[in-house]
Amino acid sequence: MNRFTGFVKKEFLHIIRDVRSMLILFGIPVVQILLFGYVLSNEIRNANIAILDHSRDEITAQISQKLIASGYFRLKANLNSADQIEPLLKSGKVRQVIIFEPDFEKNLVRENKAHVQIIADASDPNTANMLVSYSRAIISDYFLESAETTSLPLQIDQEVRMLYNEELKGVFMFVPGTMALILMLLSAMMTSISIAREKELGTMEVLLVSPLRPVQIVLGKVTPYIGMAFINAVVIIALGVFVFGMPVLGSLTLLMAESLLFICMALSLGILISTKAKSQQVAMFISMFAFLLPTMLLSGFIFPVKNMPLLLQWISHVIPAKYYITIIKNIMLKGTGFLFVWKETLIIAAMMIAFIIASVRMFKVRLE
Amino acid sequence: MRTILFLLQKEFIQIFRDKTMLPMIILVPILQMLILVNAATFELKNISMVVVNQDMSATSRELISGFEGSKFFDLQYEFSVDKAHESLLDNTADVILVIPADFERDLIREKSASVQILINAIDGMAAGLINVYTGNFINDFRQDLLIEWMNIKPALRLFPLK
């Protein structure tokens, strides 16, 4: 046991003395969470639009007013002719153009219908979709509120409640996702690299012939990272709570315990990779490809998994971060207890055990 | 100049000999492309909606059948709000539609009624879209009722321009 603590101490010193390792361990998570929190927000606010009003009557003025007052749009230009639309959209200065037909009010009164055209820059289809839906909702809202309809009978009042995130903040999506991403990347990448480094430098041979048993070597490699990743988890949660105002409605102890479990799972995955990788470069590449992309795309971090093709949905079931993100959201935002996350916890634990068994099988005591 | 050529040759041989890196260099971008194109979408196609219909009248059923016919909504049914709430908590539903008892009676007698819409808003953007979709459906339903029951054609109605 004394040998083991000595080994762990050596590993600790390795990490702490290396400025670059320390930067990766503690600098990147903080920068990343701040960047994601402030920059990567997909809320729509003040999108630039232009209005081409052929009619210029009272109703079109009121609708325009209502669109701009909504806070989603900012009026960039009032156009005079249809020729101006295309250059303006091409220049990228506006995301959307709204066109009212000539004699809008007159048509509305006489024929009971009038036309509005919405042209959106769909080179970013997601944003365009949102902008068009918002504009349509605002315009139909105008008609619903206008005197003529409210006086009609058969009102259906919709009491809408936005649960768990009343202000619809984007951060509530990004903090759990970033946390999973960082813990996954750091834990798995750092361990796999540190074991691969010993192989690359040839010092693995020295370790293998030393009185330390293989299990002790691997555990010794991993132990410092458990501590560091745990500190990271605490830092990220603190940033989420104090900088971005996220609540922790559920039990903090449960949250930390789940994080610890996730970290251990990521570390055993790192060990598994290092049994395969012969050099740091390969270890790095595998961890980047196996973790970064799937964790970003298929875990429900940014894009909802439900709307992807079936094949990708199946793949998403083996992405550990998916379960961890669900757990964090449930505990932090919904305030649920263990009863609502036991399935996910069990899956992560099972993954961890599978990775450990696989790496024990593949760990070679001899070097080729 | 020739030295560079030899160096190049050496580098190429090294890359092609490396049996782990070579497939990665080629496969990774292809896989990345395939996954990204299909995964990166905010579109909402399958909104899981739990309907709590406490009214059980012809009108409320008609309202629900509108949602049923839509390709945007996957419907489940619950009898109690608490049970429905649970499905929001364990992520099996995105939105709950509660039609209170006396929905039809209120519509007939008082000419107005209310429904409750509870949305899981952790993904704020999706929640905004769900709200818009649901709202449009209910408004359409009301317009149909106006025509059906009172034979009133709402003077102002929106038509999407094709």
Side-chain angles (χ1 to χ4, degrees):
Chain A
M1 210 50 211
N2 223 344
R3 281 191 202 119
F4 179 65
T5 39
F7 186 69
V8 172
K9 206 170 149 196
K10 169 214 152 216
E11 284 300 320
F12 246 119
L13 288 177
H14 259 311
I15 302 167
I16 291 172
R17 279 187 197 153
D18 187 7
V19 183
R20 269 187 303 171
S21 288
M22 290 301 279
L23 257 179
I24 291 178
L25 272 171
F26 296 107
I28 288 184
V30 174
V31 172
Q32 210 164 11
I33 204 106
L34 290 175
L35 274 181
F36 274 134
Y38 283 120
V39 182
L40 236 175
S41 112
N42 48 21
E43 301 156 56
I44 287 178
R45 210 167 278 154
N46 293 329
N48 287 324
I49 60 166
I51 293 176
L52 171 55
D53 192 347
H54 286 301
S55 175
R56 293 187 191 278
D57 56 51
E58 203 180 323
I59 291 184
T60 59
Q62 278 172 7
I63 295 175
S64 314
Q65 188 53 43
K66 198 169 157 62
L67 281 168
I68 292 152
S70 69
Y72 297 122
F73 305 108
R74 194 187 326 166
L75 185 63
K76 188 85 182 169
N78 259 315
L79 306 180
N80 297 317
S81 84
D83 304 332
Q84 292 170 292
I85 296 172
E86 213 182 313
L88 196 60
L89 277 174
K90 269 191 180 154
S91 72
K93 280 184 194 131
V94 300
R95 314 292 298 261
Q96 181 179 274
V97 181
I98 291 173
I99 303 152
F100 296 102
E101 68 175 344
D103 301 325
F104 189 87
E105 191 175 0
K106 222 186 274 170
N107 288 341
L108 208 52
V109 176
R110 267 195 215 148
E111 297 165 42
N112 280 342
K113 70 182 191 191
H115 295 114
V116 185
Q117 190 176 26
I118 301 172
I119 301 177
D121 173 1
S123 52
D124 177 355
N126 293 319
T127 316
N129 241 330
M130 297 277 297
L131 288 177
V132 172
S133 332
Y134 282 160
S135 329
R136 287 187 62 177
I138 291 167
I139 295 172
S140 51
D141 232 37
Y142 171 80
F143 287 108
L144 285 178
E145 278 171 16
S146 67
E148 204 167 341
T149 12
T150 29
S151 63
L152 284 179
L154 300 186
Q155 287 292 330
I156 299 179
D157 192 21
Q158 300 171 31
E159 297 162 19
V160 179
R161 277 190 58 202
M162 296 289 182
L163 297 176
Y164 319 125
N165 181 5
E166 278 176 25
E167 293 161 58
L168 299 182
K169 284 189 192 162
V171 190
F172 282 32
M173 276 292 272
F174 289 119
V175 169
T178 320
M179 197 156 140
L181 183 70
I182 289 171
L183 293 184
M184 188 81 200
L185 266 184
L186 276 186
S187 315
M189 199 163 78
M190 295 302 272
T191 33
S192 63
I193 287 180
S194 91
I195 296 180
R197 188 194 294 141
E198 300 269 6
K199 285 191 190 171
E200 202 176 298
L201 294 175
T203 44
M204 196 61 173
E205 200 159 23
V206 183
L207 285 177
L208 286 173
V209 295
S210 73
L212 283 165
R213 278 183 290 141
V215 186
Q216 287 179 320
I217 298 176
V218 172
L219 278 181
K221 282 270 173 206
V222 164
T223 316
Y225 288 108
I226 296 182
M228 306 234 169
F230 192 72
I231 296 173
N232 261 323
V234 175
V235 170
I236 296 170
I237 292 175
L239 277 176
V241 171
F242 295 114
V243 180
F244 296 114
M246 277 185 77
V248 183
L249 296 176
S251 136
L252 191 63
T253 328
L254 181 62
L255 185 62
M256 294 328 287
E258 296 280 1
S259 302
L260 200 61
L261 177 73
F262 183 71
I263 290 167
C264 291
M265 191 278 316
L267 290 173
S268 32
L269 189 54
I271 299 170
L272 181 63
I273 292 175
S274 65
T275 59
K276 279 277 155 206
K278 286 190 197 74
S279 66
Q280 293 184 62
Q281 192 195 14
V282 177
M284 179 110 167
F285 216 82
I286 296 180
S287 6
M288 282 302 247
F289 178 55
F291 307 142
L292 187 65
L293 257 181
T295 309
M296 293 252 322
L297 293 175
L298 300 177
S299 65
F301 170 12
I302 302 175
F303 305 105
V305 178
K306 283 210 313 198
N307 303 318
M308 294 176 190
L310 266 183
L311 181 69
L312 289 181
Q313 288 191 33
W314 286 331
I315 298 174
S316 80
H317 289 313
V318 298
I319 311 280
K322 177 186 156 185
Y323 301 103
Y324 182 58
I325 290 177
T326 315
I327 292 174
I328 308 182
K329 281 183 187 163
N330 271 358
I331 297 176
M332 285 182 85
L333 302 172
K334 296 185 183 173
T336 57
F338 188 65
L339 264 181
F340 281 92
V341 294
W342 67 270
K343 259 183 268 169
E344 284 81 6
T345 314
L346 211 65
I347 293 173
I348 294 181
M351 281 178 167
M352 179 176 78
I353 293 167
F355 291 142
I356 291 175
I357 292 174
S359 25
V360 168
R361 287 242 172 123
M362 288 204 245
F363 191 83
K364 291 193 189 76
V365 197
R366 300 181 141 271
L367 297 171
E368 294 99 84
Chain B
M1 200 53 209
R2 275 184 61 199
T3 22
I4 292 180
L5 282 180
F6 285 127
L7 251 176
L8 265 177
Q9 202 182 1
K10 175 220 138 203
E11 288 295 332
F12 266 114
I13 292 174
Q14 263 183 335
I15 292 172
F16 282 114
R17 270 189 199 152
D18 193 334
K19 286 287 172 292
T20 28
M21 287 306 278
L22 186 66
M24 284 203 157
I25 292 170
I26 297 166
L27 276 179
V28 168
I30 297 176
L31 275 175
Q32 209 164 341
M33 212 35 219
L34 286 177
I35 294 176
L36 223 112
V37 167
N38 287 305
T41 166
F42 288 114
E43 249 177 273
L44 270 180
K45 279 175 287 190
N46 315 301
I47 304 169
S48 321
M49 176 185 259
V50 176
V51 178
V52 182
N53 186 358
Q54 295 164 332
D55 188 36
M56 289 297 176
S57 61
T59 316
S60 62
R61 258 181 237 131
E62 208 173 308
L63 171 60
I64 295 166
S65 75
F67 283 106
E68 245 168 12
S70 149
K71 61 181 173 67
F72 292 114
F73 293 94
D74 288 335
L75 264 62
Q76 304 157 38
Y77 300 90
E78 285 294 348
F79 291 105
S80 80
V81 180
D82 287 342
K83 259 269 171 2
H85 214 270
E86 236 165 69
S87 55
L88 266 197
L89 285 177
D90 68 15
N91 298 318
T92 44
D94 303 315
V95 52
I96 303 176
L97 173 70
V98 184
I99 304 176
D102 304 333
F103 175 76
E104 189 182 55
R105 206 197 60 191
D106 287 353
L107 261 185
I108 294 171
R109 282 202 201 153
E110 284 154 42
K111 302 292 176 218
S112 85
S114 69
V115 294
Q116 252 189 349
I117 299 164
L118 309 171
I119 305 174
N120 172 6
I122 291 181
D123 184 347
M125 203 164 96
L129 280 178
I130 293 174
N131 186 16
V132 171
Y133 286 165
T134 335
N136 282 347
F137 257 95
I138 294 174
N139 287 335
D140 276 357
F141 172 73
R142 179 194 170 220
Q143 310 256 15
D144 291 342
L145 273 192
L146 275 174
I147 296 169
E148 212 178 298
W149 289 11
M150 336 213 76
N151 207 9
I152 301 176
K153 270 216 162 105
L156 305 174
R157 196 164 181 184
L158 265 194
F159 293 94
L161 200 98
K162 301 236 161 61

